Each structure stands twice: as structure tokens, then as C-alpha cells.
Amino acid sequence: MLKGERVTLRGIRRDDLPKLCEFNNDLAVELAGGGDPPIPQSLERLQAEFDQNAAKGGRDGTWFAIEADGKFIGQCGLVGFDIFQGVARVCELGIAIGDKEYWGRGYGRETIALLLDYAFRYWNLHRVWLRTNSRNERAIRCYQSCGFVEEGRLRGHEWYDGSYIDTLCMGILREEWEHIKKQD
């Protein structure tokens, strides 16, 4: 478990699934995430997928539940690791705060700070990157406040609520994170 002042990152549990299903079927939450078109998801399918993965045993990986005030409010994680050849040491960060009561109040920023600390300190990564849709100004401000910089723009890359929009690629290097940590 990773603990911040207000946020705890822990493994996703089966009792989180009804709330996760609610988040996954909330159009505003899905549009904020960008990328794929919103697709409905039944609780039964989410539970079946969870049970199938749990039956494999082992560890939960680097995908976390976000908990605040004793409530499950979203999920986040590190995926797409390029570490096994020992060259790039890169991964992608993903985050979704599904509980809209927690939007715009610094919970995402604290979650990202915990994930970056985990990525650079414990995984010894060189770079963490993410992508977001260009209309998600709240997320872009959050990512920038955590030290991410725009590294590229895929023009007209995703269909969003009736039109094509750009996808932003943002990243942070280990030395940039270390500089931010020294200022804290």
C-alpha cells in the first residue's frame, strides 16, 4: 500500500466492483478519460473478469484502487513497462477519479505524486509518460503541476463527443522528478 496525506493506493478488492462499475458507466467520467468511445459494462462482466484474474493467484500488479476518506474513489496504475531489456526503463501512467465529489480538489495530484515516487524510487524508472485528450484542461493542469511536460500531440487522434480532437502525450523524466522532490 502507498499512503499519502489524504490518499491511500491499495489493491482493488471485489467489494470495490459495484462502485467501479458505476464509474465505468458514467458518461462524464468516461469522456474525461478520453481515448475509446464510452462502452457500457455490466457488473457481472466486471466481476467475472476480476474473478478470472484473482484465480490466477500471484500479485495484483501495479494497478491500484484510490481510497480517500475510507471510500473507493477511483483507480490508477503503471502499465506498459519497458524495463526487461534494461535500456529504456519507461512506463505509462493511468488515472481515473470516478467519484466526481473528489474532482478538482487535489486528490489526483496527490495520487500522481505517490505513483511517481513508486515508479522512480522502487521501479528505478527513467521516464513516466501518459496521454490525455486535449479538452481535459483540469487533467492537463494537474499533470503539469506534477512536473509532466507536453512531449507531443497526435492531431485529430480521438473521437470525443461528436468531433475529432487531439491527444496530448506528456512525460516526466527521473531527474525532473528528483528536482521537484528537492523543492518539497
Side-chain angles (χ1 to χ4, degrees):
M1 263 197 298
L2 306 174
K3 290 188 179 205
E5 289 183 33
R6 302 179 302 163
V7 171
T8 298
L9 306 185
R10 59 165 175 76
I12 295 176
R13 300 185 304 240
R14 197 169 204 287
D15 64 344
D16 295 325
L17 299 182
K19 198 70 172 165
L20 181 57
C21 188
E22 180 183 318
F23 299 156
N24 291 351
N25 286 292
D26 184 318
L27 189 58
V29 172
E30 286 292 294
L31 289 175
D36 299 325
I39 300 172
Q41 181 181 46
S42 70
L43 179 58
E44 293 77 18
R45 285 185 182 265
L46 188 59
Q47 289 169 332
E49 181 181 38
F50 180 87
D51 293 342
Q52 183 178 35
N53 288 330
K56 293 177 186 173
R59 299 199 179 241
D60 290 338
T62 55
W63 203 254
F64 299 93
I66 305 169
E67 189 175 281
D69 302 325
K71 292 173 48 177
F72 171 67
I73 65 165
Q75 58 181 329
C76 64
L78 303 173
V79 298
F81 285 88
D82 182 5
I83 61 170
F84 299 107
Q85 301 302 317
V87 179
R89 304 210 59 83
V90 169
C91 78
E92 182 178 2
L93 182 146
I95 180 172
I97 304 249
D99 189 328
K100 290 181 272 196
E101 288 182 32
Y102 290 84
W103 285 10
R105 296 177 46 205
Y107 289 91
R109 192 175 314 112
E110 184 176 338
T111 297
I112 292 168
L114 286 170
L115 279 176
L116 290 176
D117 188 64
Y118 179 67
F120 291 123
R121 184 183 303 194
Y122 297 104
W123 281 85
N124 190 30
L125 296 179
H126 172 66
R127 178 173 165 269
V128 175
W129 71 281
L130 58 83
R131 60 187 134 197
T132 188
N133 75 62
S134 59
R135 288 197 188 159
N136 195 342
E137 294 175 12
R138 187 182 71 253
I140 294 166
R141 283 192 308 273
C142 175
Y143 300 142
Q144 289 170 334
S145 74
C146 292
F148 283 84
V149 296
E150 184 175 331
E151 296 178 333
R153 179 178 291 261
L154 303 171
R155 296 175 303 133
H157 187 73
E158 59 188 88
W159 181 254
Y160 176 90
D161 200 21
S163 63
Y164 285 101
I165 64 169
D166 297 349
T167 297
L168 301 183
C169 297
M170 303 179 78
I172 183 170
L173 300 174
R174 179 186 195 91
E175 54 266 21
E176 294 166 337
W177 170 77
E178 288 171 344
H179 180 73
I180 291 168
K181 292 296 285 181
K182 285 179 186 173
Q183 294 178 338
D184 285 349

